[in-house]
Amino acid sequence: MSNLFTVSPSPHTKGDDSIPKIMWSVVIALVPVILMASLFFGLHSLKIMVVAVVSCLLFEYTIQKYILKVPTTIRDGSAIITGLLLAFNLPAGLPVWLVVLGSLVAIGIAKLSFGGLGQNPFNPALVGRVFLLISFPVQMTTWTANITVTDTFTGATPLMLLKEGVKSGKSLAEITTNSQMPGYFDMFWGNMSGSLGEISAMAILLGGIYLLWKKIITWHIPVAVLGSIFLFEGVLWMAAPDRFMDPVFHLITGGVMLGAIFMATDLTTSPMTPLGKVIFGVGIGVITICIRNFGAYPEGISFAILIMNGFTPLINAKVKPKRFGGK
Amino acid sequence: MLKTFKFGGVHPKEEKLTAGLAIQRLPLPKKVILPVAQHIGVPAMLAVKKGDLVKTGMLIAKSGGFVSANIHAPVSGRVSKIAERIDASGYKSLSIVIETEGDIWEESITLDQPFQAIEALTTAELLLKIRTAGVVGLGGAAFPTHVKLEPPAGMKADTLLINGVECEPYLTSDHSLMLEKGSEILKGTSLLMKVLKVQRAIVGIEINKPDAILLLRDLAKNFQGIEVEPLQLKYPQGSEKQLIQALTGRMVGPGALPASVGVVVNNVATAFAVYEAVAFNKPLIERVVTVTGKGVSKPGNFLVRIGTPIKELIEAAGGLPEDTGKVILGGPMMGKAISNLKIPVTKGMSGIVLIQEKEASRQQVMPCIRCAKCVDGCPMNLEPYLLMMISEKGMWEQAESNHVTDCIECGSCSYTCPSSRPLLDYIRTGKSKVGKLIRSRQNSVLTDKQIPI
Amino acid sequence: MNNILFITIIVISAIGSISAVVLYFVSKKFMVFEDPRIDEVEALLPSSNCGNCGFAGCRAFADACISADSLNQLNCPVGGNETMKAIAHYLQLDTLLVSPKTAVLRCNGNCEVRPKTSKYEGVLTCGAAHGVYGGETGCHYGCLGFGDCAVVCQFDALHMNPVTGLPEVDDLKCNGCGACIAACPRLLLELRKQMPKHRKVYVACRNKDKGKTAAKACKVACTGCQECQKVCNFGAITIERNLAYIDAEKCTLCRKCVTVCHTNAILEINFPTRKIKSEQISEA
């Protein structure tokens, strides 16, 4: 017998899932968002997305090859997703060097310094975005005109309009009738000012349905985030309709959709058990609404996700699945 | 909506190449090898010596205790050796080797005339017949059947479940048995019902065997209290606890017996063996084994004598393909890979799967991306990623508090992991270490023995 | 502005002082009295915390020492007699001197003499492989070669030799702590009495198969032929289940058994080379 049999422990068969397959499916799910971003922001958006993806890949390759001296993992597609998600969180008019800097922070600090794929406690794209937001607040909140909105040059996001309006003592009715404030249908379709990827709730939902269909994410986190935002804001709105916007407004403005479907569901930084995922999602929803209504920033989803990322190990340690037949 | 179990589960590619193929009888092997420990429990005690002449069906090793089973000569011939032989566990164990000289059956076995007065037999008589015949669970675990039929004091069964799920990919031995021996299986089922004094039996069959479901449903009309329940396609539905949950909704607690929730589970092949034992006094000396694999030229379901070296079985299926990289006893999810073909067929072996060389190797291990697919896929609702991590680091106390001992080793976690991580390998190590810890805590002495598998 | 600064300083100082007071009383109230001798004894120990004395660590061992009436039941395998003498001296107690031991590997089936019969794939630990089957070779008793023992050795005394595929014990570093003994699923490592100049004579095999089967699986297997037992003048060699064992307590290192062994299963280590006799062995 020339060739020896292989002996290994069971199971002797393996499913089709693999990391590249998951990552590329996420990239496919992001395609509608890419299309909507290019539709509304034109070449600006393409430039930012390309720069972010290329610099993420480049940083990952360089750091792994020359600093960490480990095999490079740029082929698994995870750096592409980080790049795309980072780009989706940036305004279309951001200078290119800031995009590169954000990518360096996302890949170098948030991902590789913790050990690379699967080891990062915080969502790399969000770390990149929050780093830029805190360090370069002016550039990060300068929204280039949305090309199809004809009457503005620097369209403020609906959430900024809301926050500034409230700060200057305007009533909600005045704010919502502001000519800059888009209607709900426009917001859902994507015809509003904002970061590249967050404008079109519809495109994000399409991607989310694809991810659910491919079983890459489960329904728990998106439903928990959106549901808790809807409920919490709904309660506030019912209690004081003259102080708080209605829940639908909060669902379709800003980064809530993008955050709930693509950022919070990041496999590595979200909890493992279904109940843990629900707790995680509710935490994000509640913190987001708190920041939006009571905090200094108009938008809070990225902070909320990062805060809950920090709680993920605790949730994993405390929320255990109920074992079969156990009490 | 078809019934299925509650937690987790995966759906491996079925690959049932031999589905619906008729059972072929394998010619008598030249010699048979019978390990005295081919069931769970105490090994049987030798009842023959070297040089003895035996007839087919003669007792050659006597049950060594309550949880043990008789072993009978599957052929007639001469005991040529009593020596250590490698068995399906991958280790050597004491075995009886018989050189075949013919096929002369014991007089007490009445193959031509089924025992007429089955109805008149008492429970104790039935139980004695089953016990004498050395019937064990034929689904894979080889647990002595008579032990299952006598639930411990204080537990009373009210339902009998017959396992026709066959959720392992490739295997079709139960399927073909159900198609050809349907009415015998149901007769065996009603005998088991009588022994257990239960009024209700459910035969669970996965929906990928519609012909077997229809046939058994039709036949079950003639039997009182037997239902046939189609089940959703999901692995590991054939696992005892999962099947009970799927069919009755009851959950067997950790470490508890099925009888604690009033259920006893037996395989269809076991029910058939019970019928044969009662009707013909025929001991368990043959079983249906599927020989299959993508490269196999004539895959099929074979009725073989226990103890036949698997080499002869593979020969009957068209010989060992050139590109065979792995030989698995049992199904690809839970079966055991073996290193040579001298290993004999044992009572618990339901199939031989030959895996081609290109599919035999594992994929490269990637880091865990914490996708939680293993958590979602675990039928026991454990956290395989965590159990692997703590087993890898040797944190046995933590492994115990995370219920590593609940693992049924179904392999769903390793199967579903996108990073191809060897989750089950580590969990198994942890399970055996924790098992040792628990036993040493109970003051039992660890001996120079190999770890039981 | 000055006012804010002032208030801040006061508030922070106040918090600091209150905390200090609280900490002081808490530490007083919850202070645990410990025998100061524990620290002293602990200082005498090698602080490897290996646990091979049977206690959870060096401190637990020190605690056991001071509460014991006699040190006869206690032994620090790492520190050995020197340490136990020092402790006994400090505590004014008796101690039994034990002969120091080092680990030996009772398998010599390297890649050349033990042909492979299958390929193992899976987690590369001895524990995992042992649970699956008899191993990659025909010998179901021999070394699996994945180095579980080398991993657990805290004293850098065990290393896997990539050429032979077997672990090697560094006699100078091995202090007989016994961690490797527990790590090996096949119980191949044994603690043997240390002899002068680290000389050793032992049967490097644990194969209990019948001679023919064992010899087929491995060229250097003990076949249980009993030749060594016959030549031993000291009754040090026993044969059980086709396997010879040399009792280190009785062995005088005369090496007669080494010369008669047909399969070279008995090893002599750290002896000066025997010119004529070693040639004879290689011819045989």
Side-chain angles (χ1 to χ4, degrees), chain C residues 133-150:
Chain C
Y133 73 132
E136 288 184 314
T137 67
C139 175
H140 292 180
Y141 300 89
C143 180
L144 290 156
F146 298 116
D148 279 15
C149 49

Side-chain angles (χ1 to χ4, degrees), chain C residues 59-118:
Chain C
R59 192 167 183 85
F61 182 73
D63 195 7
C65 282
I66 62 154
S67 47
D69 300 325
S70 143
L71 296 180
N72 291 349
Q73 301 296 319
L74 299 162
N75 180 37
C76 171
V78 177
N81 286 338
E82 295 302 312
T83 304
M84 291 316 293
K85 263 191 252 170
I87 297 173
H89 177 74
Y90 174 76
L91 294 174
Q92 304 287 308
L93 290 171
D94 296 332
T95 183
L96 271 184
L97 293 187
V98 289
S99 45
K101 288 179 172 179
T102 45
V104 297
L105 178 73
R106 289 184 59 197
C107 177
N108 196 25
N110 59 37
C111 310
E112 274 179 25
V113 298
R114 203 161 49 130
K116 281 197 172 188
T117 57
S118 65

Side-chain angles (χ1 to χ4, degrees), chain A residues 192-244:
Chain A
M192 63 171 170
S193 187
S195 303
L196 287 186
E198 68 184 27
I199 49 170
S200 173
M202 186 200 65
I204 296 167
L205 281 176
L206 269 181
I209 289 166
Y210 179 79
L211 286 182
L212 280 173
W213 176 58
K214 282 275 167 190
K215 292 195 177 143
I216 288 165
I217 61 172
T218 57
W219 57 269
H220 303 88
I221 293 179
V223 169
V225 173
L226 300 178
S228 62
I229 287 181
F230 188 83
L231 280 180
F232 188 34
E233 181 67 19
V235 169
L236 292 176
W237 179 60
M238 301 268 251
D242 52 331
R243 274 197 60 205
F244 298 104

Side-chain angles (χ1 to χ4, degrees), chain A residues 127-250:
Chain A
V127 172
R129 173 204 144 91
V130 166
F131 167 80
L132 291 179
L133 181 67
I134 294 174
S135 313
F136 307 93
V138 178
Q139 289 92 325
M140 282 295 284
T141 49
T142 306
W143 310 98
T144 311
N146 190 328
I147 52 164
T148 55
V149 179
T150 46
D151 57 342
T152 50
F153 288 106
T154 55
T157 66
L159 285 171
M160 284 173 74
L161 292 175
L162 176 69
K163 190 98 222 172
E164 275 155 22
V166 170
K167 268 187 197 160
S168 55
K170 288 185 196 160
S171 76
L172 281 188
E174 278 176 275
I175 296 167
T176 46
T177 49
N178 184 325
S179 61
Q180 283 189 357
M181 188 64 101
Y184 281 2
F185 179 75
D186 279 341
M187 289 186 193
F188 183 71
W189 166 244
N191 195 354
M192 63 171 170
S193 187
S195 303
L196 287 186
E198 68 184 27
I199 49 170
S200 173
M202 186 200 65
I204 296 167
L205 281 176
L206 269 181
I209 289 166
Y210 179 79
L211 286 182
L212 280 173
W213 176 58
K214 282 275 167 190
K215 292 195 177 143
I216 288 165
I217 61 172
T218 57
W219 57 269
H220 303 88
I221 293 179
V223 169
V225 173
L226 300 178
S228 62
I229 287 181
F230 188 83
L231 280 180
F232 188 34
E233 181 67 19
V235 169
L236 292 176
W237 179 60
M238 301 268 251
D242 52 331
R243 274 197 60 205
F244 298 104
M245 286 297 288
D246 62 294
V248 177
F249 174 85
H250 278 287

